[in-house]
């Protein structure tokens, strides 16, 4: 034991432990019975360089030695977390080192641990997510609500990464001064392959102008292990006054604040002509084939804009789907038009009917469609949806879903 301890002390003096990971440090501490403060000293001597992430997969984070800086102290707790992230290599290395920080500036602690980054041109943002056990449904794959929540999360993280506010969904300085917020007017999601529990999904997002009163945000989802496109989505957002709850035109001042972070030439997640995201949704005629009446918002359904979050409407729409379709099919495409806010004391009716006419659906390979005729007798089914206030019958939301045969 004494010989082994002397040998490891010698190796330390020669600097072999520069760039040591937390895992190695703990092993060394356990084997040699070093005092714990010696391990801290070793960890504090490492500073972590900015991560470089390639599209084909994660890389191993690197460390370099430096003398501790008085102007930029590293707190022990941060060192442990950063070192732990550095210790994961190979295919496990989806978590990368946090960049350096300086006192009074730099990135926030949460942002340094987040698995996201702006692309080199600064016009789009990518982030990796691990599918958790509580995010999957009965098929052990992520639910569409999980996908929608991740889209919203990566969009907000993109906005924060370029300096927009954290007290609203991507509000600029001018918007906060004028009490303006963004609200969803349309959401279109297509899932070609649902990620399973434990899969890592890479989501890329970007935004761009959309007319005088709105903006557009698009997403592309990939399986990080294979690089294949497993989904795409697009959305339209309009500006609303937070106090009057009335829509407002996007001013030139607001455009100047956010368009600098948008592609100068249009970039669309669905560049194909006559793609499903552009189709008008016909209003469902009453009586509906299926219904679920008297749905009530939960407190957890409300977001920071003081209304029911847009993802909740997806769940309400699916509540009136017939169980025999849920058992034999999986959701491929969902399109929702948001017409009215829902407040805490509202009751909601969910109506669903099968859409009778034949439709053109896409047989997709790696996210790109080739058109093929399908009808209700095929493996694909299409439904219209309508959400209304129970008391007045006023329209809240209308939607369309497309379902493919479930392969077990």
């Amino acid at each position: 034991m004494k010989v082994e301890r002397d040998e490891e002390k010698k190796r330390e003096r020669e600097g072999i432990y520069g760039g040591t990971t937390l895992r190695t440090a703990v092993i060394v501490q356990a084997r040699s019975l070093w005092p714990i403060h010696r391990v801290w000293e070793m960890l504090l001597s490492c500073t972590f360089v900015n991560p470089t992430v390639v599209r084909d997969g994660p890389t191993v984070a690197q460390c370099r030695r430096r003398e501790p800086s008085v102007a930029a102290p590293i707190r022990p707790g941060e060192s442990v977390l950063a070192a732990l992230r550095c210790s994961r290599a190979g295919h496990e290395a989806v978590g990368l080192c946090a960049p350096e920080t300086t006192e009074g500036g730099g990135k926030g602690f949460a942002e340094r641990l987040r698995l996201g980054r702006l692309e080199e041109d600064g016009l789009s943002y990518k982030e990796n997510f691990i599918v958790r056990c509580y995010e999957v449904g009965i098929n052990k794959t992520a639910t569409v609500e999980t996908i929608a929540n991740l889209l919203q999360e990566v969009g907000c993280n993109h906005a924060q990464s370029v300096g927009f506010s954290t007290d609203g969904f991507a509000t600029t300085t001018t918007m906060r001064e004028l009490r303006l917020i963004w609200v969803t007017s349309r959401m279109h999601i297509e899932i070609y392959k649902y990620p399973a529990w434990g899969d890592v999904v890479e989501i890329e997002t970007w935004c761009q102008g959309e007319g005088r009163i709105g903006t557009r945000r698009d997403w592309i989802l990939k399986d990080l292990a294979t690089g294949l496109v497993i989904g795409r989505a697009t959305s339209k957002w309009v500006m609303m006054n937070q106090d009057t709850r009335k829509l407002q035109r996007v001013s030139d001042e607001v455009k100047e604040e956010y368009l600098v972070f948008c592609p100068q030439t249009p970039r669309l997640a669905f560049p194909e002509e006559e793609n499903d995201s552009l189709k008008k949704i016909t209003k469902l005629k009453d009586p509906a084939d299926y219904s679920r009446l008297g749905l009530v918002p939960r407190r957890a359904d409300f977001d920071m804009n003081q209304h029911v979050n847009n993802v909740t409407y997806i769940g309400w729409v699916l509540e009136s789907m017939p169980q025999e379709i849920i058992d034999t099919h999986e959701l491929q495409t969902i399109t929702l038009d948001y017409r009215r806010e829902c407040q805490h004391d509202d009751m909601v009716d969910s109506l669903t009917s099968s859409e009778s006419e034949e439709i053109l659906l896409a047989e997709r390979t790696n996210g790109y469609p080739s058109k093929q005729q399908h009808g209700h007798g095929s493996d694909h089914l299409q439904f219209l949806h309508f959400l209304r206030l129970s008391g007045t019958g006023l329209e809240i939301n209308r939607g369309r879903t497309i379902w493919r045969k479930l392969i077990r």
Side-chain angles (χ1 to χ4, degrees):
M1 175 65 73
K2 184 176 185 300
V3 174
E4 182 181 356
R5 186 174 179 180
D6 292 342
E7 180 65 24
E8 287 174 340
K9 285 183 177 180
K10 178 181 177 182
R11 291 169 64 189
E12 183 200 13
R13 288 194 298 270
E14 292 173 353
I16 293 178
Y17 288 120
T20 300
T21 66
L22 180 62
R23 182 180 300 169
T24 304
V26 171
I27 292 173
V28 169
Q29 196 272 339
R31 288 181 177 176
S32 62
L33 301 179
W34 281 4
I36 189 65
H37 73 273
R38 297 289 300 280
V39 179
W40 281 118
E41 290 174 0
M42 181 176 62
L43 289 174
L44 290 173
S45 68
C46 279
T47 216
F48 302 98
V49 301
N50 290 327
T52 301
V53 184
V54 295
R55 294 189 177 187
D56 295 335
T59 59
V60 181
Q62 299 174 333
C63 294
R64 68 171 185 269
R65 290 186 66 91
R66 70 166 174 85
E67 294 300 322
S69 170
V70 175
I74 303 176
R75 293 193 294 270
E78 296 184 18
S79 299
V80 169
L81 290 171
L84 179 60
R85 293 157 67 86
C86 283
S87 70
R88 304 188 67 181
H91 239 352
E92 288 186 290
V94 294
L96 299 174
C97 291
E100 296 181 29
T101 59
T102 57
E103 187 174 3
K107 298 184 178 182
F109 192 42
E111 188 173 353
R112 299 201 305 276
L113 297 179
R114 192 173 288 137
L115 308 182
R117 70 278 180 192
L118 280 171
E119 289 296 273
E120 289 186 2
D121 59 8
L123 302 180
S124 70
Y125 177 87
K126 287 184 178 180
E127 188 165 351
N128 300 334
F129 297 92
I130 303 172
V131 178
R132 314 289 183 176
C133 65
Y134 54 82
E135 295 173 325
V136 302
I138 58 175
N139 297 321
K140 299 180 182 179
T141 57
T143 64
V144 67
E145 290 100 324
T146 292
I147 299 297
N149 276 318
L150 292 180
L151 298 181
Q152 185 169 264
E153 174 71 8
V154 73
C156 290
N157 292 345
H158 177 205
Q160 289 187 37
S161 71
V162 298
F164 290 166
S165 174
T166 60
D167 60 2
F169 291 120
T171 54
T172 68
T173 301
T174 300
M175 290 178 66
R176 292 193 298 278
E177 292 174 352
L178 300 177
R179 301 279 294 165
L180 300 174
I181 57 176
W182 293 113
V183 294
T184 315
S185 63
R186 170 170 269 223
M187 175 68 73
H188 177 85
I189 303 173
E190 295 186 11
I191 305 297
Y192 315 126
K193 179 180 180 296
Y194 280 90
W197 176 20
D199 286 352
V200 182
V201 181
E202 178 192 77
I203 305 179
E204 181 182 11
T205 186
W206 63 95
C207 62
Q208 50 207 326
E210 181 78 13
R212 292 187 301 173
I213 64 169
T215 185
R216 172 189 179 121
R217 179 171 287 278
D218 288 39
W219 298 266
I220 292 177
L221 299 85
K222 292 184 179 181
D223 183 325
L224 188 63
T226 64
L228 295 179
V229 174
I230 61 173
R232 295 185 287 172
T234 186
S235 62
K236 294 182 180 179
W237 300 71
V238 293
M239 190 173 292
M240 173 186 285
N241 185 287
Q242 192 168 5
D243 299 321
T244 66
R245 315 308 285 185
K246 293 183 178 179
L247 299 184
Q248 188 160 327
R249 185 178 67 86
V250 181
S251 66
D252 292 337
E253 291 81 2
V254 173
K255 286 183 178 180
E256 290 176 359
E257 288 175 318
Y258 79 84
L259 287 181
V260 66
F261 302 108
C262 301
Q264 299 304 304
T265 57
R267 181 190 174 192
L268 307 178
F270 299 92
E272 306 84 18
E273 295 183 4
E274 299 181 359
N275 64 79
D276 290 339
S277 71
L278 302 175
K279 290 183 178 179
K280 182 180 178 180
I281 300 176
T282 305
K283 184 177 180 179
L284 184 150
K285 295 180 180 179
D286 214 4
D289 296 340
Y290 313 96
S291 63
R292 185 72 181 273
L293 308 180
L295 299 171
V296 179
R298 303 172 306 159
R299 291 188 178 94
D301 294 330
F302 290 84
D303 61 27
M304 64 185 78
N305 285 339
Q306 290 87 48
H307 62 191
V308 172
N309 186 264
N310 65 82
V311 178
T312 300
Y313 295 89
I314 296 177
W316 284 345
V317 161
L318 300 182
E319 278 297 307
S320 56
M321 281 295 298
Q323 188 61 43
E324 58 267 25
I325 301 299
I326 300 294
D327 292 339
T328 58
H329 291 69
E330 66 178 356
L331 183 64
Q332 173 179 293
T333 302
I334 183 167
T335 310
L336 295 179
D337 283 340
Y338 297 85
R339 302 301 181 92
R340 179 176 278 99
E341 290 184 292
C342 188
Q343 304 299 336
H344 65 89
D345 54 352
D346 290 329
M347 293 184 65
V348 178
D349 295 339
S350 175
L351 310 178
T352 292
S353 288
S354 177
E355 201 164 17
S356 58
E357 66 269 19
E358 288 192 343
I359 57 172
L360 288 175
L361 292 178
E363 292 293 338
R364 292 170 169 87
T365 303
N366 197 18
Y368 292 95
S370 60
K371 295 291 185 179
Q372 182 174 346
Q373 188 76 17
H374 288 279
H376 282 278
S378 72
D379 289 341
H380 290 79
L381 302 175
Q382 182 164 311
F383 293 86
L384 289 175
H385 304 275
F386 188 77
L387 297 180
R388 68 186 182 192
L389 293 177
S390 297
T392 63
L394 293 175
E395 180 179 7
I396 301 173
N397 185 296
R398 68 176 64 178
R400 174 185 288 114
T401 57
I402 301 172
W403 301 73
R404 58 175 171 251
K405 193 74 173 178
L406 187 61
I407 301 176
R408 297 188 185 278

